[in-house]
């Protein structure tokens, strides 16, 4: 293509342009890695599309990498666009976790213990045991959590163990670990 300056009558050098097809991403799949750890992360995969894609977590800064790590436990929103403005996709993803200790001293800060991120799974089952394996309590992920008592009596400061049965990506899973009650 040649452009002509109408004031001077001068022609430009020949310029060429390449036009490439751009297809939008049709969907995204967000997968949590290292669930229940301090290194939990989210990997986002875009179904089809030509990209390049730009990824954003919870209205944070945009990035070219499809990996977010570390990510705190709880519910998150992933947003994917592309540099051509053809893709605009959003998905929610939940990272599961738990506090490593709690202090039931009525100061409104970590007074109860529970699994973080399971609020949307009312069928999840959480069992708490003392360090000798004695069953203490079953709690609900939708409830306020465990307050450090057994039959209304405060239990001592020590480590307690738990199991949680939940569903992730349509599969039943179980996780076991421990936390500390600090008085």
């Amino acid at each position: 293509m040649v452009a002509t300056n109408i004031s001077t009558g001068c022609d430009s050098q020949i310029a060429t342009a390449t036009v490439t097809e751009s297809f939008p991403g049709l969907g995204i799949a967000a997968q949590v890695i290292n669930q229940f750890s301090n290194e939990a992360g989210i990997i986002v995969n875009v179904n089809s599309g030509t990209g390049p894609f730009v990824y954003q977590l919870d209205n944070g800064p945009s990035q070219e990498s499809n990996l977010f790590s570390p990510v705190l436990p709880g519910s998150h929103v992933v947003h994917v666009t592309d540099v051509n403005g053809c893709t605009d996709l959003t998905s929610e993803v939940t990272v599961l976790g738990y506090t490593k200790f709690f202090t039931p001293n009525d100061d409104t800060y970590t007074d109860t213990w529970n699994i973080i991120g399971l609020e949307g799974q009312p069928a999840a089952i959480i069992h708490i045991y003392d360090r000798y394996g004695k069953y203490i309590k079953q709690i609900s992920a939708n409830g306020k959590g465990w307050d450090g008592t057994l039959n209304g009596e405060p239990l001592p400061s020590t480590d307690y163990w738990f199991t949680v049965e939940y569903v992730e990506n349509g599969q039943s899973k179980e996780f076991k670990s421990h936390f500390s009650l600090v008085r």
Side-chain angles (χ1 to χ4, degrees):
M1 172 177 280
V2 175
T4 303
N5 184 325
I6 57 172
S7 299
T8 64
C10 295
D11 290 337
S12 70
Q13 293 184 3
I14 295 178
T16 59
T18 304
V19 178
T20 58
E21 291 181 305
S22 179
F23 296 100
L26 299 178
I28 56 177
Q31 177 184 2
V32 178
I33 57 172
N34 301 322
Q35 198 81 275
F36 285 107
S37 81
N38 291 335
E39 296 301 318
I42 299 171
I43 296 176
V44 182
N45 293 307
V46 180
N47 302 332
S48 71
T50 53
F53 298 106
V54 179
Y55 304 86
Q56 183 182 37
L57 183 67
D58 298 329
N59 296 316
S62 297
Q63 64 184 44
E64 293 178 7
S65 172
N66 68 333
L67 172 64
F68 298 96
S69 180
V71 178
L72 293 174
S75 189
H76 299 278
V77 175
V78 175
H79 189 180
V80 178
T81 57
D82 66 36
V83 296
N84 299 314
C86 297
T87 300
D88 188 10
L89 302 168
T90 301
S91 179
E92 286 192 38
V93 61
T94 301
V95 176
L96 302 178
Y98 62 98
T99 55
K100 307 298 187 236
F101 71 93
F102 79 114
T103 57
N105 58 6
D106 293 327
D107 67 354
T108 68
Y109 182 74
T110 63
D111 283 333
T112 60
W113 182 90
N114 208 340
I115 300 293
I116 302 165
L118 277 181
E119 297 81 8
Q121 292 193 37
I125 299 171
I126 305 165
H127 294 279
I128 299 172
Y129 305 87
D130 72 9
R131 63 185 187 156
Y132 303 108
K134 177 183 174 188
Y135 180 74
I136 302 293
K137 183 153 183 101
Q138 177 179 331
I139 62 172
S140 167
N142 290 336
K144 67 175 189 168
W146 183 48
D147 63 1
T149 64
L150 177 62
N151 299 323
E153 295 296 319
L155 290 176
S157 295
T158 189
D159 278 1
Y160 290 86
W161 291 82
F162 71 93
T163 61
V164 57
E165 298 169 21
Y166 65 101
V167 175
E168 182 179 43
N169 298 325
Q171 289 186 327
S172 294
K173 296 200 170 192
E174 182 179 49
F175 179 76
K176 300 176 184 182
S177 193
H178 62 95
F179 61 93
S180 296
L181 185 159
V182 179
R183 293 205 183 269

